[in-house]
Every structure is written in C-alpha cells, then in structure tokens.
Amino acid sequence: YTVNVYNTSETYLKFLEFSTYQVDWGDGTTIQPITNFAPNFISHTYPIQNKTYEITLTQNICFTAIL
C-alpha cells in the first residue's frame, strides 16, 4: 500500500527553504529526511495492508531577526 503526502501550499512555498523536515512513517522504518521539494510530494510504501499506522511530520524552522 503506497501513501503520497503532498504540499499544497503555494502561499508559504518560499519558506520551505528555511526549514528542515523529517517524516516518521510509523511502521518502524528509518525516519526519512525531506531534502527535496520537487516534485511536491513524498511517497512511502507500507509492508502490510489493513493495519493502522501513525505518520508524524516534523518541521524545524529557524527565524532570525535583522536589527
């Protein structure tokens, strides 16, 4: 079973370059860093169908102020 997660925000697309992301697919596989935003989705194939998985997407963003 394959899941695709899409970025549908055009408004905040420019802020992606200032963030790092990683996704935990909830099935025991290695946490996946997201380093490329083209195409606008990431995919994961689960080994077992008819099971519940919890997907966790983590964003780390750094804002700085110029004084």
Side-chain angles (χ1 to χ4, degrees):
Y1 187 78
T2 300
V3 172
N4 295 317
V5 178
Y6 290 87
N7 174 21
T8 59
S9 173
E10 291 294 327
T11 304
Y12 298 105
L13 192 58
K14 65 183 176 183
F15 294 110
L16 292 177
E17 67 186 63
F18 301 112
S19 300
T20 59
Y21 295 88
Q22 53 187 348
V23 63
D24 180 347
W25 295 104
D27 62 356
T29 55
T30 303
I31 293 176
Q32 177 184 351
I34 302 170
T35 57
N36 189 359
F37 300 109
N40 68 338
F41 69 93
I42 54 174
S43 288
H44 183 73
T45 301
Y46 285 94
I48 300 172
Q49 293 180 331
N50 300 323
K51 185 175 176 185
T52 301
Y53 297 100
E54 182 176 327
I55 301 169
T56 304
L57 178 65
T58 304
Q59 176 190 26
N60 296 306
I61 189 163
C62 178
F63 282 109
T64 59
I66 299 174
L67 301 174

